[in-house]
Amino acid sequence: MSYTDLLIERQDHVLKLTINREERRNALNEEIMIAMRMALEENIPNREIRVVLVTAVGDKAFCAGGDLKPGADTFGFDPSEPRTAFAGLLRVAKSCDVPIVARVNGHCLAGGMGLLAMCDMAVATEKALFGLPEVKIGMFPAQVAALLERLIPPRKFDEMTYTGEPITAQEACDIGLINYVVPAGELDEKTNWLLGRIVDKSPTAIRRGKYALRATRDMSMDQALTFMESQIGMFGMTQDAKEGLAAFNEKRKPVWPGK
């Protein structure tokens, strides 16, 4: 696949999606949203892909949100179409059965916060700011809120939404929005460290585990326990589980079949 505004690469077990609009602070447009969704749909069924990395070019912005350039039609809306390109991307990402990691190389604002929220983990440069500034231009982070309000403590989420003011990377880490904050020069090293800690584990356990966690997220505790009771035996039936147990007893590194 070849797109101007989104770079798509496969590196070993990693699918890397890089927004390529540095001159527009990596702002989103319809091409990026559709291309990112299609890249996930087309690559995730490939079991060689064990993790997705979402990032952007440059060192100023991860994603500044929608493109506000005159004529960009960022907020264009077809009343006859109930689904937007951005919501379509978020739906596909949240249904993905492999972990998605964000490499936040700069400011993460507005729609960029939606990209962050669709990821399972994130590493950010200490210079990054995180914010929902939509109210400053008479808009509201409606689609982003559907994901973010599940990640950010309610009062902090309300403050960010109603004031439009950003928080620092360290504050974002403190409230659990991101996993790690590092100096800019250490961003790649820390990101690769995290990716490495994922791809050397059982891809089957992670794939089935993420599926199960997603299924139980809106269940009551009793419903979740009942569902998980039906799942636990399935893990033990996989080839990965057999290999993991054999490797443990033989004191060697497992070679995952991924089945």
Side-chain angles (χ1 to χ4, degrees):
M1 294 177 289
S2 176
Y3 300 96
T4 301
D5 295 336
L6 184 73
L7 306 178
I8 302 172
E9 306 169 78
R10 280 184 52 187
Q11 301 173 346
D12 297 323
H13 297 296
V14 180
L15 173 66
K16 184 178 182 182
L17 307 178
T18 306
I19 302 174
N20 185 36
R21 298 190 76 207
E22 187 173 7
E23 76 286 355
R24 297 299 305 162
R25 301 182 70 210
N26 294 313
L28 294 171
N29 58 24
E30 190 164 279
E31 176 185 302
I32 291 171
M33 294 182 282
I34 292 175
M36 196 173 287
R37 173 180 60 78
M38 292 180 62
L40 291 174
E41 290 176 331
E42 294 177 14
N43 284 276
I44 294 309
N46 180 351
R47 292 192 177 182
E48 288 299 306
I49 300 297
R50 298 186 184 180
V51 64
V52 177
L53 178 65
V54 177
T55 189
V57 298
D59 58 7
K60 297 293 191 298
F62 169 70
C63 178
D67 195 339
L68 302 183
K69 179 177 65 175
D73 195 28
T74 302
F75 304 113
F77 183 75
D78 181 355
S80 69
E81 175 53 59
R83 296 176 177 83
T84 67
F86 191 44
L89 166 61
L90 299 182
R91 286 188 181 96
V92 169
K94 292 307 290 183
S95 67
C96 180
D97 288 332
V98 302
I100 305 178
V101 175
R103 172 188 174 273
V104 185
N105 53 298
H107 296 340
C108 179
L109 306 170
M113 292 282 279
L115 296 184
L116 176 65
M118 78 182 194
C119 297
D120 301 291
M121 290 161 273
V123 181
T125 171
E126 61 187 3
K127 295 182 179 180
L129 294 178
F130 297 78
L132 298 167
E134 284 88 342
V135 292
K136 294 182 179 182
I137 59 168
M139 295 297 291
F140 194 80
Q143 296 174 108
V144 173
L147 276 64
L148 275 180
E149 65 178 353
R150 298 166 181 260
L151 294 176
I152 300 176
R155 292 194 182 277
K156 194 62 182 180
F157 176 73
D158 289 348
E159 179 185 350
M160 293 178 68
T161 302
Y162 302 142
T163 69
E165 300 300 334
I167 60 175
T168 67
Q170 188 56 57
E171 289 176 302
C173 191
D174 290 343
I175 63 174
L177 183 59
I178 59 178
N179 297 78
Y180 300 100
V181 180
V182 295
E186 299 176 16
L187 182 60
D188 285 334
E189 179 182 357
K190 192 66 175 181
T191 302
N192 291 334
W193 169 85
L194 182 57
L195 295 175
R197 288 166 68 92
I198 297 171
V199 299
D200 70 347
K201 306 307 189 302
S202 164
T204 300
I206 292 174
R207 187 168 58 246
R208 286 203 59 90
K210 190 175 178 185
Y211 160 81
L213 289 175
R214 185 172 62 249
T216 60
R217 196 140 284 168
D218 293 322
M219 294 181 184
S220 68
M221 184 189 72
D222 190 58
Q223 290 171 327
L225 279 172
T226 300
F227 178 81
M228 288 301 193
E229 283 176 325
S230 69
Q231 292 294 305
I232 189 65
M234 301 296 292
F235 287 95
M237 295 171 64
T238 67
Q239 292 182 33
D240 272 17
K242 293 178 173 60
E243 166 62 11
L245 183 60
F248 176 81
N249 286 308
E250 295 166 14
K251 296 180 173 56
R252 59 174 175 83
K253 186 176 180 179
V255 179
W256 304 114
K259 299 179 181 180

